[in-house]
Amino acid sequence: MTRTRRPAVAGTGRRARAWRLAAMFAIVAAMVLAGSGCTVIPVTGPLNLNEAGSNDPLSKPFQRMIAILPQKTWGLEQTLRGLQAAMAAYADDPTVLPQYLTPEARAKWNASGPVTVIEDDSEVVLPTAREEPGQEQKVTLKGRWVARINEDDSYVPTGGPWEGTFELVQVQGGGYRVKSLPNGLLLTHADVARAYRATNLYYLNGNTRDRLVVDRVRLRLRPTETYAHAILQRLLKNPTGALQGAVTTSFPPGTKILSIRSDERVVINLSGPIDTLDPSTEALLKAQIRYSLNKNEIAKGRTIEIQVDGEPYSVDQPNSDDQWLDDSSDTAYYVTKGAVHYMGKDGPSVAVPGPAGEPREGYSGYALSKDGTQIAAKTSTGISVAGLTAQGRWQEVIQGAKLTLPTWHRDGSLWTYDQENSVLLRYDPSSGKAPERVAAPKLTGLDVTRLRIARDGVRVVVMTGENTVQIGALTGEAGGTMLGNFQLLTTTTAGNKILDVAWSDDEHLLVLVGSKAGQTLNEINVGDGEVVGVPLNDVNDPVTSVAALDDRVLAEADTDQSTKIYELNQDRQTWTVKIESDAGSPLFPLG
């Protein structure tokens, strides 16, 4: 594979820029004919047909793969590598790949379906038998499996060996064609890094539509459109399977993007059945666009003007003050001798008001509501709730000897899983009614040991046994609410044990794992499985629990005589002891 720089071509204006692109591709095509399979040309950003310039602030850096036709002089391995290059270029130019296939294979092979992603250093295993003219040759490609990109653009990490068999046949005049191959596109990790971008899209929570929920996808960039256009085009479609039925959108069916342009401001022209007289629709649509662009570092700090069929519709000023990603109170708490205390920035503080601030035994697994006015705890007979006021009192609201630790929903309801009866329970303090059952058929028969609702009120982490963590979502509305859409997030090997899980923000989950070799703390993106390790070098004692809210991470460590609380510093590498002794169970509201 060769790499070339984009040739410089004189000229200005729209017509000159178009000629410049045409000349660039012509020169590259001439250069690669002497090569062996492909070339990569750097493009400063996905180019918009209306502004095929080079420094569009709505774009992302991009390199386009140019594949060439199979050559008469190529052997089996060169042909297979050329086929791989044609697959990498297929989305931009689908005409080259079929030239690698026999008519029979061309009729059977289908590019649709999940994209398989393997490591870059794959191995081609050639047949050992002597080659005869016209004889079919089976060639095996071996590598390590990295991920799968589904048709809904979700990115699913995988692992282990990958192997694919390709049948090639020599053709008259020289060279080979592929007679049989697996369906779908096969890309390398480098192909995906070059042409795809991890992208956060923002939808509305299903019930109240008062908060945005992030949906992470891998978008394939194209040289004919800006990254901003790719983001909004995908936002008009359904969310990934992880959030199907759990979120909604403000864009009515039939909405289209007519154009996106930028100077001092970003101007987005839409068309479709948008109710331009409904102020609630305007607010929702504006929020989805703003966060989907700005959270991906597009249009950040600039005014966004939205038009409908060319007519002014809405203007979104930079740094608008709203609560679309509001989580909860950022007050931290901890427990000492059974009494719940506030935790100041510098360490311990006073006890909370009411019975929760009084020392007592037999209460554990404390959880705080969104506004920090109610606290729940597990006892030997069930789950009790108390208000954080001087007049508050503990009241058992859910009975059961084998319940998971309580978790609050942002709507004020309290949840737990009844392990003995395999039932998910929801208690609404405002209703005065007994706890209701919520359908969760995929959990039946599983050893559910932990359940925590994310602060977005949609995603739910479920831990089964000591080794497996899944992410689900609450779908449906009112009486039709259901916990489903489960996807495996992580597992541990035999001998390891997951000690705790905690939401840090809408996208990330902290997973604490213990083993004979020590402990690890990982922050995992629940949208694509990306893992970032959090060092525990400064924590000299075994960690038993963690709590987090955005950039703040607290950990309880168990010493020989007592417990202490550490806080992760802003460098995300070192820890500081915040409370020296008799302090544990750090917690934030929700999460």
Side-chain angles (χ1 to χ4, degrees):
M1 182 183 292
T2 60
R3 295 182 182 269
T4 71
R5 292 184 178 180
R6 179 165 56 173
V9 182
T12 59
R14 183 177 300 175
R15 181 172 297 179
R17 289 196 294 267
W19 279 106
R20 188 157 58 222
L21 287 173
M24 178 177 70
F25 293 130
I27 292 173
V28 170
M31 294 177 68
V32 299
L33 285 176
S36 60
C38 66
T39 187
V40 177
I41 61 172
V43 181
T44 56
L47 303 178
N48 190 295
L49 290 177
N50 294 323
E51 46 185 18
S54 58
N55 296 309
D56 186 349
L58 300 183
S59 298
K60 281 279 189 181
F62 178 76
Q63 290 181 321
R64 179 176 178 180
M65 179 77 78
I66 303 293
I68 63 174
L69 299 176
Q71 304 295 298
K72 295 180 180 180
T73 57
W74 286 357
L76 293 170
E77 182 169 357
Q78 286 177 301
T79 303
L80 188 54
R81 294 302 188 190
L83 176 69
Q84 281 188 272
M87 286 192 175
Y90 187 81
D92 296 324
D93 183 3
T95 65
V96 177
L97 191 148
Q99 305 306 311
Y100 279 83
L101 310 181
T102 65
E104 177 185 1
R106 208 175 299 162
K108 292 181 178 180
W109 183 78
N110 195 327
S112 63
V115 173
T116 298
V117 185
I118 62 173
E119 288 287 2
D120 302 334
D121 56 348
S122 58
E123 176 190 5
V124 175
V125 182
L126 300 175
T128 56
R130 193 179 68 159
E131 182 180 333
E132 300 291 341
Q135 182 180 354
E136 295 177 5
Q137 302 288 321
K138 286 190 176 182
V139 180
T140 301
L141 185 65
K142 292 185 176 182
R144 298 290 301 179
W145 203 356
V146 174
R148 181 180 72 250
I149 302 177
N150 292 321
E151 290 180 283
D152 64 359
D153 301 311
S154 59
Y155 184 91
V156 182
T158 54
W162 181 90
E163 184 175 305
T165 301
F166 301 78
E167 291 186 10
L168 283 74
V169 62
Q170 196 171 31
V171 295
Q172 190 173 4
Y176 290 86
R177 297 294 181 271
V178 180
K179 184 178 180 181
S180 176
L181 72 164
N183 277 327
L185 293 175
L186 173 68
L187 302 183
T188 66
H189 187 263
D191 292 332
V192 173
R194 171 188 56 80
Y196 288 77
R197 292 294 179 269
T199 303
N200 285 347
L201 305 175
Y202 287 84
Y203 294 88
L204 300 161
N205 56 339
N207 291 331
T208 56
R209 291 163 64 94
D210 61 350
R211 196 183 193 282
L212 294 175
V213 180
V214 62
D215 192 16
R216 193 165 176 86
V217 298
R218 282 295 196 282
L219 290 187
R220 195 186 192 287
L221 304 185
R222 301 179 185 277
T224 55
E225 66 180 15
T226 64
Y227 184 38
H229 190 279
I231 291 172
L232 296 185
Q233 193 68 48
R234 178 61 184 82
L235 187 63
L236 296 180
K237 300 178 182 178
N238 291 328
T240 63
L243 293 178
Q244 283 284 345
V247 295
T248 63
T249 182
S250 61
F251 295 94
T255 303
K256 296 180 180 179
I257 301 170
L258 296 182
S259 65
I260 304 175
R261 67 179 189 272
S262 65
D263 36 51
E264 289 82 10
R265 59 176 53 197
V266 178
V267 181
I268 301 167
N269 189 15
L270 305 174
S271 71
I274 299 172
D275 186 354
T276 57
L277 300 179
D278 183 356
S280 63
T281 297
E282 177 188 357
L284 299 175
L285 187 146
K286 187 165 59 175
Q288 282 189 262
I289 290 177
R290 178 204 308 164
Y291 282 92
S292 295
L293 292 182
N294 290 350
K295 289 295 185 178
N296 293 294
E297 303 299 325
I298 299 294
K300 204 165 188 178
R302 285 189 291 168
T303 299
I304 299 175
E305 179 182 333
I306 304 172
Q307 300 177 347
V308 175
D309 296 321
E311 297 295 326
Y313 171 57
S314 183
V315 176
D316 184 65
Q317 300 294 343
N319 304 316
S320 297
D321 183 20
D322 60 49
Q323 303 298 319
W324 288 104
L325 292 182
D326 171 47
D327 285 325
S328 59
S329 167
D330 61 357
T331 304
Y333 301 77
Y334 68 97
V335 179
T336 178
K337 298 178 180 178
V340 181
H341 286 65
Y342 296 108
M343 180 174 171
K345 291 288 185 181
D346 298 321
S349 187
V350 299
V352 300
E358 301 169 358
R360 69 180 57 238
E361 296 181 355
Y363 285 64
S364 63
Y366 293 93
L368 278 151
S369 62
K370 177 179 180 292
D371 55 9
T373 60
Q374 289 187 298
I375 192 165
K378 181 182 175 183
T379 69
S380 60
T381 60
I383 290 176
S384 294
V385 172
L388 294 189
T389 64
Q391 296 75 33
R393 61 184 181 87
W394 285 110
Q395 178 185 3
E396 187 170 85
V397 296
I398 304 177
Q399 296 180 345
K402 296 185 64 177
L403 303 176
T404 61
L405 301 181
T407 180
W408 290 92
H409 190 283
R410 61 181 295 105
D411 67 3
S413 59
L414 185 66
W415 298 61
T416 185
Y417 192 81
D418 185 339
Q419 300 162 314
E420 189 171 25
N421 298 300
S422 297
V423 173
L424 178 62
L425 298 174
R426 174 186 184 271
Y427 169 73
D428 182 1
S430 65
S431 71
K433 298 179 181 179
E436 61 177 336
R437 297 188 175 194
V438 178
K442 294 296 184 180
L443 297 183
T444 302
L446 299 182
D447 179 21
V448 177
T449 54
R450 192 70 58 88
L451 184 144
R452 301 183 80 162
I453 300 174
R455 294 183 176 93
D456 61 19
V458 171
R459 285 190 170 91
V460 180
V461 58
V462 174
M463 182 173 148
T464 55
E466 298 180 341
N467 304 96
T468 303
V469 175
Q470 299 182 71
I471 300 296
L474 294 172
T475 65
E477 297 182 5
T481 300
M482 172 179 165
L483 177 55
N485 295 2
F486 283 105
Q487 297 182 342
L488 177 67
L489 182 68
T490 187
T491 59
T492 62
T493 56
N496 294 345
K497 177 181 177 180
I498 298 175
L499 303 174
D500 198 15
V501 293
W503 289 100
S504 55
D505 58 30
D506 296 349
E507 293 182 75
H508 300 97
L509 187 78
L510 289 174
V511 179
L512 176 66
V513 178
S515 68
K516 292 181 179 179
Q519 293 183 316
T520 58
L521 180 61
N522 290 325
E523 185 180 68
I524 306 179
N525 189 307
V526 299
D528 61 10
E530 181 183 34
V531 178
V532 176
V534 179
L536 289 173
N537 301 334
D538 285 354
V539 183
N540 300 318
D541 306 290
V543 177
T544 55
S545 70
V546 291
L549 177 61
D550 296 330
D551 293 332
R552 293 194 69 186
V553 179
L554 303 174
E556 173 190 347
D558 198 357
T559 69
D560 292 337
Q561 293 82 24
S562 182
T563 56
K564 63 175 67 173
I565 291 181
Y566 288 80
E567 180 164 359
L568 183 64
N569 296 325
Q570 289 299 308
D571 61 7
R572 308 288 290 184
Q573 298 293 314
T574 58
W575 296 77
T576 299
V577 176
K578 287 297 182 179
I579 306 179
E580 288 285 352
S581 64
D582 292 327
S585 304
L587 68 154
F588 292 94
L590 302 182

